[in-house]
Amino acid sequence: MEGLRRFLSRHRNGVVFVVLITISTIAIGTQSQSVNSASKHIGYSIFASVQSSAAEVGHFFGNFVNSIGELRRIRQEYEVLQEKVNEYKTIERDILDLQSENTQLRELLDFSQKMPLSHVAARIIAKEPGLLFDGFTVNRGRTHGITEDTPVIAYAEGFSSLVGKVVEVTDATAKVLPIIDRSCFVAAKMRESRYEGLLHGLGAADGLVEMTYVKKRAKNRIQFGDLVVTSGFRSIYPEDLYIGRVDAIRAPEWESSLTLEIRPLVDFTRLEYVFILLGENE
Amino acid sequence: MRKKNPIIYGVILIVCALLQNSVFTSLHIAEIRPDFTLLLLVFFAHQLGTMEGKIIGFLAGLMMDILGMAPLGFHSLIYTVIGHLFGLTRGKMYVDSLTMPVVFAIAATLIVTFTSFIIVIVFLPLRLSSVLSIGVLIQIGMHAVLAPFIFALLRVFKLCSEHETQML
């Protein structure tokens, strides 16, 4: 007995090794399902909940780490989508612009087709930058049959409205003097009452034209908003082209005639396309 | 040399064995998973010596057998052998930061393969191709790559000490 104890004490390391190996070997060797599965089952039932908890914790942290990556991915996607949204917004604006332009051009085309006078459609390509002069340039010139003093009209509020006249022509372009310019004079009349007068511009700053030499007795027959048209009397402008509506009526005591302020039908600040009249349609 | 507390190492190893089966399952290359418990056991056994090495190896192996599909005794036998063998290196080898961890990892994987091979031949009705496959090479590569990092990590947590090993 003493010898065995001394042996175990001296070879403790080896004995433990042999014991452990033996236990393992026996465990493997006794693969008879009942014994092995029973012992495994006992151990497994003890540690399964621990394993499950560990897996849950691991799953939680795994999800947390994944969610960080997911967040980064979502942020990148968000930025990409934001860029796309901005792109689409730009496209939408372009489409709206195109729709608006399309509508405008359709109206112009319709107007052009119904117009009894021979004409050339032109696009404004330049405008006077200063405040003193109010002319603009169109992209049609001598080669298109345009000459000086040719009347220029536009489509406004459903009417063929007077814009001005051509004052200078090159082969490809023409300068137009609008009716709002101070140096532009037009023989005009009231559309309803037929009272005549002389119309001239007050400058682009006001955007108005003034009609003078209207007989005083017309005062009671002129209303605000009445339409003013070209008279066509000894004029370069054809008769009955719309000019504008009465905005103000002045009747000074010391003058023998009325002075009317007329707001042109054409909005000169937004004018893009005009028609240059060439003469009567055949 | 001041001896470390083997219980701490044993607990860490058993926890690692537990986590390996449940948490680290997503870490794999071609369905070959690194055996973190084995790598830890190698370094722990080297730190603790044969007696503690084989005991914590046996316990960790037992945990893996209980939680895994292997028959009871399979991992406990293998890890006992690993714990014993690498415990023998305690104080006899200088473990640097790179080379020796890689050598240890490769050697441990080969020993595991060899021991598994023997166990399969003797006890288990498995095909030998399941033990000796290309997966062994992949696992050796993985262990060789991971070993220096794990060793460095253990040093950070003062579970492995290069200096103490060198002193012996």
Side-chain angles (χ1 to χ4, degrees):
Chain A
M1 197 65 184
E2 186 62 31
L4 181 64
R5 189 177 295 171
R6 204 177 303 136
F7 175 81
L8 290 175
S9 174
R10 196 179 299 163
H11 299 95
R12 195 172 52 128
N13 204 359
V15 169
V16 171
F17 180 71
V18 170
V19 167
L20 293 176
I21 291 293
T22 307
I23 293 169
S24 300
T25 310
I26 290 169
I28 300 170
T30 51
Q31 279 294 304
S32 59
Q33 294 300 313
S34 58
V35 176
N36 189 48
S37 60
S39 56
K40 240 191 118 164
H41 181 73
I42 293 165
Y44 186 69
S45 59
I46 292 168
F47 291 105
S49 56
V50 182
Q51 186 187 32
S52 172
S53 305
E56 284 299 319
V57 171
H59 187 64
F60 171 78
F61 283 108
N63 279 350
F64 180 71
V65 172
N66 285 341
S67 66
I68 292 170
E70 185 78 0
L71 198 64
R72 192 178 296 122
R73 191 182 61 77
I74 287 170
R75 185 184 291 275
Q76 284 170 349
E77 268 184 21
Y78 170 78
E79 282 167 4
V80 170
L81 288 173
Q82 192 67 42
E83 277 178 21
K84 278 194 176 179
V85 165
N86 290 338
E87 204 174 295
Y88 287 139
K89 276 182 181 173
T90 310
I91 291 170
E92 190 190 11
R93 276 199 296 273
D94 288 348
I95 288 171
L96 287 173
D97 286 347
L98 284 171
Q99 278 179 341
S100 170
E101 192 179 8
N102 188 29
T103 309
Q104 189 186 1
L105 289 172
R106 275 177 189 280
E107 285 177 352
L108 289 173
L109 183 65
D110 187 46
F111 173 73
S112 173
Q113 284 170 346
K114 287 177 182 170
M115 201 187 304
L117 300 167
S118 173
H119 60 276
V120 173
R123 186 163 58 84
I124 295 173
I125 56 171
K127 283 185 177 179
E128 278 293 332
L131 295 171
L132 293 175
F133 307 100
D134 306 308
F136 56 83
T137 308
V138 295
N139 64 343
R140 293 287 183 266
R142 197 173 290 117
T143 52
H144 304 94
I146 296 166
T147 56
E148 287 180 5
D149 290 335
T150 312
V152 179
I153 64 167
Y155 177 74
E157 294 186 28
F159 302 114
S160 51
S161 309
L162 185 65
V163 169
K165 66 176 181 178
V166 175
V167 288
E168 197 175 332
V169 189
T170 66
D171 285 342
T173 62
K175 279 187 183 174
V176 177
L177 181 71
I179 55 170
I180 53 171
D181 189 272
R182 292 174 191 279
S183 58
C184 185
F185 290 88
V186 181
K189 64 184 179 187
M190 304 304 297
R191 185 170 175 269
E192 295 298 323
S193 59
R194 316 304 286 177
Y195 285 103
E196 294 182 339
L198 184 64
L199 194 138
H200 66 91
L202 295 175
D206 291 330
L208 298 172
V209 290
E210 193 175 64
M211 189 171 169
T212 51
Y213 307 117
V214 180
K215 291 193 180 335
K216 265 202 165 172
R217 64 170 177 270
K219 188 180 175 184
N220 295 330
R221 299 190 60 188
I222 295 172
Q223 305 288 324
F224 291 103
D226 278 358
L227 281 166
V228 177
V229 295
T230 53
S231 67
F233 181 66
R234 299 177 71 177
S235 170
I236 58 170
Y237 304 106
E239 193 177 4
D240 287 333
L241 285 177
Y242 290 89
I243 296 173
R245 293 180 186 278
V246 175
D247 200 49
I249 303 168
R250 290 200 304 270
E253 291 291 328
W254 60 90
E255 281 194 8
S256 58
S257 60
L258 296 174
T259 301
L260 309 178
E261 270 185 19
I262 311 296
R263 183 166 296 281
L265 294 177
V266 176
D267 183 355
F268 285 91
T269 57
R270 295 168 57 195
L271 195 59
E272 287 179 287
Y273 295 93
V274 294
F275 296 98
I276 302 169
L277 301 181
L278 301 176
E280 293 282 341
N281 270 344
E282 289 181 3
Chain B
M1 179 186 164
R2 185 167 53 85
K3 264 212 158 183
K4 312 256 179 181
N5 188 352
I7 295 171
I8 295 170
Y9 289 87
V11 170
I12 292 171
L13 208 61
I14 289 168
V15 169
C16 182
L18 188 74
L19 296 178
Q20 188 162 290
N21 275 348
S22 53
V23 179
F24 301 148
T25 49
S26 55
L27 301 171
H28 63 87
I29 297 172
E31 293 300 321
I32 309 295
R33 291 174 176 78
D35 192 343
F36 291 106
T37 314
L38 175 70
L39 295 174
L40 285 184
L41 174 63
V42 166
F43 296 126
F44 288 175
H46 173 74
Q47 287 291 307
L48 297 170
T50 51
M51 178 59 83
E52 289 84 355
K54 59 180 164 263
I55 290 173
I56 62 170
F58 176 80
L59 294 174
L62 202 63
M63 179 62 76
M64 286 186 72
D65 289 336
I66 288 169
L67 296 173
M69 297 301 291
L72 202 64
F74 182 83
H75 285 103
S76 59
L77 193 152
I78 293 169
Y79 286 1
T80 303
V81 172
I82 292 288
H84 181 77
L85 290 179
F86 283 90
L88 292 172
T89 64
R90 179 172 181 266
K92 297 188 178 71
M93 281 186 175
Y94 168 70
V95 179
D96 62 352
S97 300
L98 183 68
T99 315
M100 284 315 286
V102 173
V103 171
F104 273 16
I106 293 171
T109 315
L110 288 173
I111 292 166
V112 167
T113 308
F114 177 74
T115 321
S116 306
F117 182 74
I118 299 295
I119 294 170
V120 168
I121 284 178
V122 177
F123 295 107
L124 303 179
L126 295 174
R127 282 189 295 182
L128 289 175
S129 60
S130 58
V131 180
L132 302 172
S133 67
I134 193 77
V136 174
L137 295 176
I138 296 172
Q139 199 176 41
I140 287 172
M142 289 166 88
H143 287 173
V145 170
L146 287 169
F149 293 103
I150 290 175
F151 185 63
L153 198 69
L154 294 174
R155 279 173 60 194
V156 168
F157 289 104
K158 299 190 188 308
L159 291 167
C160 268
S161 168
E162 189 178 309
H163 176 70
E164 286 183 17
T165 307
Q166 194 178 11
M167 290 292 286
L168 288 165

